[in-house]
Amino acid sequence: MPIDRFINERKTVWQRLEELLESLDRMTLRRLHREEVRELGRIYRRTASDLAIARAESRDPRLINYLNSLVIRAHGRIYRANAQGGQRLRDFFARDFPRTFRRTWRYTATAFGVFLLFTAVAFFGTRHDPDFSEFAGVSPFFREAVINNRTHWWERLNEASQIGSSQIFTNNIQVTFYAFALGAMFGVGTLYILAFNGASFGAIVALTYRAGFGNDLLSFVVGHGVIELSCIFIAGGAGLLIGTALLMPGDLSRGDALKSRGMEAVRLIIGCVPLLVVAGIIEGFISPQPISPFIKIGIGVITGIAMYSYLFLAGREDSAE
């Protein structure tokens, strides 16, 4: 469709959205008539679709910036203007977080791919030559004094699981935050965190298998690892969102791209926090216990199915996804 025709056919809708938003500047969402609220939601979704079309087919930065600012403004008023306290929290976890995950899944998949690549390289390299683990950040002292002596270092959590769980929770939050925050280094910092943690994990698993107790380590990890690693990948995807906004803003200015993708990235990080709490509790209270590995595997499978069912299905009932 020619751009002039596109604008002429859509501009009435955009102007109506502006009128509704101006009304909301003077009142709350609840004071709008029911039909106006429905109209606002309908026009917002249509304008968001127009923005996607404009990005794909138009090279007019003024049109793209106008529609982008209009969509951001409408989104903020619809989802934040009248949501307070518990309602805002419920809306976020019931709708906003899983939808954001689905919109940005390619970034999360990229983070997973980087982690998996370095895990595989470090695992096979260390299986072939244990000295290779030093390139993955495993110190010779840890290899000789702990792993080669077949020490189950994770079992110390049995001595004080509450303290251990709180320490694990803090560490998980730190790794997740770094994977996100270092995206501001044009994505390079995020890639480094993913690569380093992947390589360390792969090397340590390979060393434990060389020492003859790799299954013990994996049976410890499996219960909480599905949620924990998924959160790291989601945070890595959020960091890559920030990095690509700086490096490849597309037709938007860097500021507008950073604002748009940054909002999505922040939603992903906030959504990971309760998931990390669950992972920390499992890792502190269940994973170190001397129970059957099949129970731990079952916990990992069940929590994984529950988490990904939530991420892929929640919020679809009133969405055009």
Side-chain angles (χ1 to χ4, degrees):
M1 180 187 299
I3 190 63
D4 291 339
R5 179 184 169 190
F6 175 74
I7 293 173
N8 289 332
E9 289 185 359
R10 301 291 204 278
K11 66 180 181 180
T12 303
V13 174
W14 306 335
Q15 290 169 353
R16 177 56 180 161
L17 180 57
E18 286 190 281
E19 291 173 2
L20 290 171
L21 292 175
E22 287 173 2
S23 297
L24 279 176
D25 288 337
R26 299 188 298 269
M27 65 181 72
T28 64
L29 188 63
R30 289 181 181 177
R31 295 186 63 183
L32 287 180
H33 294 298
R34 180 177 299 178
E35 288 303 318
E36 289 179 318
V37 173
R38 291 176 178 171
E39 183 185 16
L40 176 62
R42 184 171 61 253
I43 295 177
Y44 162 69
R45 289 190 294 271
R46 183 172 178 181
T47 305
S49 177
D50 290 342
L51 173 60
I53 294 172
R55 283 174 172 168
E57 300 183 6
S58 170
R59 295 300 177 186
D60 185 349
R62 291 176 301 176
L63 174 62
I64 294 172
N65 288 337
Y66 166 71
L67 291 176
N68 186 67
S69 63
L70 193 59
V71 168
I72 290 175
R73 184 181 168 198
H75 182 278
R77 293 313 305 253
I78 291 171
Y79 294 117
R80 293 196 298 273
N82 219 46
Q84 299 295 329
Q87 182 62 44
R88 178 184 297 183
L89 200 62
R90 285 193 296 272
D91 288 347
F92 175 82
F93 285 105
R95 178 181 59 208
D96 295 345
F97 172 50
R99 287 184 183 176
T100 301
F101 171 82
R102 292 194 290 273
R103 283 195 300 270
T104 61
W105 70 268
R106 291 177 179 82
Y107 293 90
T108 301
T110 300
F112 167 70
V114 172
F115 184 94
L116 182 64
L117 173 64
F118 281 85
T119 297
V121 170
F123 177 83
F124 290 110
T126 302
R127 284 284 284 176
H128 176 72
D129 181 2
D131 290 336
F132 188 88
S133 62
E134 296 179 31
F135 292 103
V138 180
S139 69
F141 173 80
F142 183 79
R143 190 179 78 212
E144 296 294 334
V146 178
I147 294 181
N148 288 353
N149 287 325
R150 297 170 60 90
T151 302
H152 291 197
W153 67 89
W154 58 86
E155 290 182 352
R156 70 181 186 275
L157 294 174
N158 281 322
E159 300 171 3
S161 57
Q162 294 89 344
I163 297 174
S165 181
S166 65
Q167 291 173 341
I168 288 165
F169 172 57
T170 302
N171 180 70
N172 292 343
I173 289 288
Q174 285 179 335
V175 173
T176 302
F177 174 77
Y178 286 143
F180 160 65
L182 292 179
M185 298 171 60
F186 298 94
V188 175
T190 295
L191 294 175
Y192 170 77
I193 290 294
L194 293 167
F196 177 79
N197 281 276
S200 297
F201 179 69
I204 289 174
V205 171
L207 288 172
T208 56
Y209 270 105
R210 287 180 64 92
F213 66 113
N215 287 340
D216 297 342
L217 174 61
L218 290 186
S219 68
F220 166 74
V221 170
V222 68
H224 61 271
V226 175
I227 296 179
E228 181 177 283
L229 291 175
S230 295
C231 286
I232 292 175
F233 304 148
I234 293 171
L240 294 178
L241 273 168
I242 299 296
T244 55
L246 294 171
L247 283 173
M248 297 176 290
D251 294 318
L252 301 175
S253 67
R254 278 191 171 81
D256 286 340
L258 190 59
K259 183 187 299 183
S260 177
R261 297 182 201 171
M263 289 173 60
E264 303 239 285
V266 170
R267 290 190 203 103
L268 291 174
I269 294 303
I270 295 174
C272 282
V273 172
L275 296 177
L276 286 170
V277 172
V278 174
I281 292 172
I282 295 173
E283 189 170 357
F285 287 85
I286 298 176
S287 295
Q289 300 302 320
I291 58 179
S292 169
F294 294 104
I295 296 177
K296 297 178 183 180
I297 292 171
I299 291 172
V301 171
I302 291 170
T303 55
I305 291 174
M307 181 183 65
Y308 282 102
S309 296
Y310 159 67
L311 290 174
F312 282 109
L313 299 177
R316 286 184 177 272
E317 62 279 357
D318 55 349
S319 170
E321 294 177 72

